[in-house]
Amino acid sequence: MNRREFLCLGAACLLGVADGQKIVEASYYEPMIYKRFFQFTEYEERPVTDALVIHHTGFPDVDKDSTAAAIHKFHQEERKWAGIGYHYLIRKDGMIEQGRRPRAIGAHALGHNKHSLGICLAGNFEIGKPTEAQMDSVKELCRWLCKKYGLDPMEKGVIVGHRDLNDTLCPGKNLYRRLGEIRRFCV
Ligand SMILES: [Zn+2]
């Protein structure tokens, strides 16, 4: 081995280690979540967390972006809930906004709010498709939440679509069929 080959080999090894560490550490990092500090009319802590429920906003006949602030206003004023029902909203550009406080009981899946987190992607995925930026964000978020709460993403009932729990089309066929991809990413 000449000196040049030795140096290349050394650099490759170093890169490999650095890359490996980065990947391992990254899976434990909280993704960038934009905190919104909404005011809620009630707050009750969730006793357990054993499921992540995936939703779409599902406005009728239109696949459009929404803000957490707009959903908060809608859920509070129209639905008369404590505030936004979802814990996280993922915008079309991939931005993750915090909705309800992470430890609070949400309002997103009837009969399952006391043990689950609600993650909503902006859009109507019966009509449109989630953007790749949204898919990247939902994968990162679910992977981090599985680590945080000690959940096995491949276990039945851990990462589910809203329609697995209630009589609804949510999160739309074009997102529902990609739930397996999300689960595998989280492993
Ligand atoms: Zn839903």
Side-chain angles (χ1 to χ4, degrees):
M1 186 185 292
N2 64 30
R3 183 175 152 77
R4 189 188 165 91
E5 278 168 350
F6 173 77
L7 285 174
C8 287
L9 196 63
C13 284
L14 277 176
L15 279 176
V17 170
D19 262 5
Q21 282 177 344
K22 196 173 162 206
I23 289 162
V24 169
E25 286 172 8
S27 66
Y28 291 89
Y29 276 134
E30 180 176 356
M32 175 71 88
I33 295 169
Y34 290 80
K35 310 269 192 295
R36 296 304 187 212
F37 306 107
F38 298 128
Q39 296 295 316
F40 291 84
T41 57
E42 287 171 55
Y43 176 87
E44 195 183 345
E45 286 209 1
R46 195 174 53 256
V48 286
T49 305
D50 62 11
L52 310 178
V53 184
I54 310 295
H55 302 265
H56 68 168
T57 47
F59 282 103
D61 308 320
V62 57
D63 174 29
K64 63 166 189 174
D65 201 15
S66 296
T67 64
I71 296 171
H72 179 66
K73 191 171 186 314
F74 176 70
H75 283 177
Q76 207 163 51
E77 293 178 4
E78 306 297 323
R79 298 281 175 83
K80 309 294 179 196
W81 295 346
I84 183 169
Y86 311 114
H87 297 88
Y88 303 98
L89 176 77
I90 303 180
R91 307 280 301 277
K92 291 266 183 219
D93 65 2
M95 178 195 283
I96 304 171
E97 293 188 277
Q98 186 182 294
R100 210 164 269 226
R101 305 280 181 278
R103 286 199 290 209
I105 295 176
H108 59 95
L110 195 64
H112 296 272
N113 290 311
K114 288 189 176 168
H115 66 97
S116 67
L117 283 161
I119 301 169
C120 183
L121 280 69
N124 181 331
F125 305 126
E126 280 294 312
I127 304 167
K129 290 179 178 167
T131 65
E132 287 312 302
Q134 283 180 305
M135 288 305 299
D136 288 346
S137 292
V138 72
K139 287 173 183 174
E140 292 285 350
L141 180 61
C142 286
R143 180 166 67 175
W144 174 67
L145 292 171
C146 282
K147 295 271 189 269
K148 182 179 173 184
Y149 292 99
L151 308 177
D152 175 358
M154 300 305 283
E155 195 179 309
K156 196 172 188 305
V158 168
I159 298 178
V160 296
H162 187 188
R163 78 184 205 187
D164 293 322
L165 306 175
N166 297 133
D167 182 19
T168 172
L169 291 174
C170 179
K173 62 187 178 200
N174 295 325
L175 175 54
Y176 187 76
R177 66 165 169 243
R178 297 186 72 177
L179 294 187
E181 199 182 309
I182 297 170
R183 292 184 191 106
R184 287 190 295 277
F185 180 85
C186 295
V187 175

